[in-house]
């Protein structure tokens, strides 16, 4: 969590009206972002030197060591774009508050940029929403789902788990782990073989954690490492004495509502970033936007530049 000056603390942004009343102009946005970006003091994003000069217009800086100029956006996911901070802020607001996400078409209309720019902004913001490395603990449900291919024609409730062949050329598996009453983690994986899933579990879940899953064979040996119980979906069993994967399945349901209803398609190349977006919103579902917003700006500051070329290659 980002520490920022309390005078900049905003209790809540209950609506876009409140939000825009607060971030009324570019200068306010710049000052707010500066409090977060330079919370430990100003520095040059090119070389790290801390002795920098500010131009009299307040918007540009020059480094005393490498002599290069920069702005508050240089070296962040906002990059050197001409897009105003206010537009970035509104885009973050929309992406953070829309439960199922925001398509670049919607974003373009609401922010007032071209669809190409909106797509670019969307991807950069998602880059800042990458999942943290903290391990889950307590009671953790695990489950896998598939995105792409013929799945898009199916009714949402119609799960294909274990009953139908899956063509990994058209469908991409995502593996999810959800700590009950806590965070979810979800990773795009190449396959759902035992070795693949076990590696993810060991990396993301503390030893000693109680695991729950269905009867997928890939989970059949995880019980040698963690306490593990499973239900048998194959015989219609979905919950028994608290053994279930209902919570992670609710997360998949939300993700798929976004996929089918908002985005319609997600390229395989960027799928992990879409997943990160849904994970971030889910993990902050009870948080106040007044806390979430500076957290995202802190992530924006810490995440290095990403060019349009890198995104589209
Ligand atoms: Zn420098």
């Amino acid at each position: 969590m980002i520490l920022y000056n309390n005078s900049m603390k905003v209790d809540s942004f209950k609506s876009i009206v409140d939000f825009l009343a607060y971030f009324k102009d570019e200068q306010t946005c710049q000052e707010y972002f500066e409090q977060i970006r330079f919370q430990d003091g100003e520095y040059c994003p090119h070389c790290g030197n801390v002795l920098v000069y500010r131009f009299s217009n307040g918007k540009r800086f020059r480094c005393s060591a490498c002599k290069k100029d920069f702005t508050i956006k240089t070296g962040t996911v906002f990059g050197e774009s001409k897009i105003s901070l206010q537009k970035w802020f509104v885009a973050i607001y929309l992406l953070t508050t829309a439960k199922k996400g925001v398509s670049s078409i919607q974003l373009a209309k609401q922010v007032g940029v071209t669809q190409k720019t909106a797509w670019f902004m969307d991807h950069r913001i998602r880059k800042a929403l990458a999942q943290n490395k903290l391990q889950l603990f307590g009671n953790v449900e695990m489950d896998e789902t598939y995105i792409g291919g013929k799945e898009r024609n199916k009714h949402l409730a119609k799960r294909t788990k274990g009953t139908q062949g899956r063509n990994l050329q058209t469908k991409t598996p995502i593996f999810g782990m959800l700590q009950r009453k806590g965070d979810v983690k979800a990773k795009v994986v190449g396959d759902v073989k035992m070795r693949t899933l076990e590696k993810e579990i060991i990396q993301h879940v503390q030893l000693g954690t109680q695991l729950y899953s269905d009867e997928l064979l890939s989970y059949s040996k995880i019980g040698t490492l963690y306490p593990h119980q499973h239900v048998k979906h194959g015989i219609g069993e979905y919950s028994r004495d608290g053994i279930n994967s209902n919570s992670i399945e609710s997360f998949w349901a939300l993700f798929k509502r976004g996929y089918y209803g908002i985005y319609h398609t997600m390229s395989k190349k960027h799928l992990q970033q879409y997943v990160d977006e849904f994970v971030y919103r889910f993990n902050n579902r009870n948080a106040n936007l007044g806390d979430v917003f500076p957290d995202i700006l802190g992530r924006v500051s810490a995440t290095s530049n990403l060019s349009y070329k890198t995104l589209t290659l």
Side-chain angles (χ1 to χ4, degrees):
M1 185 54 75
I2 299 303
L3 296 172
Y4 50 95
N5 187 325
N6 274 334
S7 67
M8 301 300 283
K9 165 89 171 149
V10 181
D11 288 333
S12 66
F13 299 118
K14 291 213 166 60
S15 69
I16 189 90
V17 176
D18 292 347
F19 188 81
L20 283 173
Y22 188 86
F23 294 114
K24 58 189 186 299
D25 53 34
E26 192 62 9
Q27 195 186 333
T28 310
C29 297
Q30 162 126 2
E31 283 167 9
Y32 188 90
F33 190 41
E34 259 189 60
Q35 295 272 352
I36 293 168
R37 177 96 206 267
F38 294 145
Q39 57 180 309
D40 299 320
E42 294 166 358
Y43 65 93
C44 167
H46 302 294
C47 74
N49 170 46
V50 294
L51 188 56
V52 299
Y53 305 104
R54 187 190 290 256
F55 282 54
S56 55
N57 68 8
K59 289 178 187 161
R60 290 194 80 81
F61 299 84
R62 178 165 294 169
C63 173
S64 68
C66 73
K67 312 289 181 200
K68 285 183 185 158
D69 289 358
F70 58 94
T71 72
I72 189 73
K73 293 187 279 191
T74 307
T76 73
V77 296
F78 293 160
E80 285 289 74
S81 63
K82 296 265 190 298
I83 304 158
S84 71
L85 280 174
Q86 198 187 37
K87 286 187 173 178
W88 280 111
F89 284 15
V90 172
I92 291 172
Y93 179 94
L94 296 172
L95 205 64
T96 314
T97 52
K99 233 177 162 184
K100 294 181 285 182
V102 183
S103 73
S104 52
I105 298 171
Q106 292 168 304
L107 196 72
K109 277 185 196 155
Q110 295 187 45
V111 177
V113 293
T114 65
Q115 197 190 333
K116 187 178 167 186
T117 302
W119 183 89
F120 184 41
M121 292 173 83
D122 251 356
H123 275 73
R124 285 197 169 195
I125 295 166
R126 279 189 203 106
K127 177 84 179 162
L129 303 182
Q131 296 173 49
N132 67 35
K133 302 220 172 348
L134 298 175
Q135 286 189 306
L136 303 176
F137 58 93
N139 291 290
V140 170
E141 299 177 12
M142 37 189 200
D143 193 25
E144 68 295 333
T145 195
Y146 292 81
I147 282 293
K150 289 175 186 165
E151 285 271 326
R152 75 175 61 181
N153 298 324
K154 284 183 192 148
H155 189 272
L156 292 190
K158 193 165 172 67
R159 300 288 301 247
T160 56
K161 181 173 295 187
T163 59
Q164 201 174 311
R166 291 192 181 104
N167 183 352
L168 292 183
Q169 284 179 331
T170 55
K171 296 179 192 177
T172 307
I174 307 171
F175 179 54
M177 294 152 280
L178 182 146
Q179 179 179 323
R180 286 187 186 161
K181 296 184 179 153
D183 283 358
V184 67
K185 284 180 182 286
K187 302 286 168 187
V188 174
V189 285
D191 58 66
V192 296
K193 290 176 185 159
M194 187 181 291
R195 266 183 62 184
T196 308
L197 300 193
E198 285 186 347
K199 202 175 137 209
E200 294 294 329
I201 296 163
I202 290 163
Q203 187 182 346
H204 298 292
V205 183
Q206 281 181 20
L207 282 175
T209 299
Q210 173 68 51
L211 297 178
Y212 301 102
S213 72
D214 62 17
E215 71 273 42
L216 186 78
L217 276 176
S218 300
Y219 304 127
S220 61
K221 297 220 170 90
I222 197 69
T224 60
L225 290 170
Y226 296 80
H228 174 226
Q229 291 180 291
H230 71 271
V231 282
K232 293 177 181 158
H233 286 169
I235 58 164
E237 180 185 63
Y238 287 89
S239 185
R240 181 184 78 246
D241 303 328
I243 306 165
N244 61 64
S245 47
N246 293 348
S247 302
I248 183 75
E249 285 175 30
S250 317
F251 174 72
W252 294 141
L254 186 66
F255 181 71
K256 292 197 170 185
R257 282 203 294 275
Y259 179 84
Y260 294 105
I262 305 292
Y263 293 111
H264 310 302
T265 182
M266 295 174 181
S267 72
K268 202 167 174 175
K269 180 182 173 184
H270 299 298
L271 184 56
Q272 184 64 57
Q273 280 77 50
Y274 284 102
V275 171
D276 288 349
E277 174 199 324
F278 281 81
V279 165
Y280 186 88
R281 267 197 306 267
F282 185 87
N283 291 345
N284 289 284
R285 62 200 178 280
N286 299 319
N288 189 317
L289 189 66
D291 293 322
V292 169
F293 188 67
D295 178 60
I296 294 178
L297 289 188
R299 289 158 160 265
V300 163
S301 304
T303 312
S304 64
N305 207 341
L306 198 65
S307 72
Y308 187 78
K309 210 175 159 192
T310 321
L311 280 169
T312 49
L313 273 178

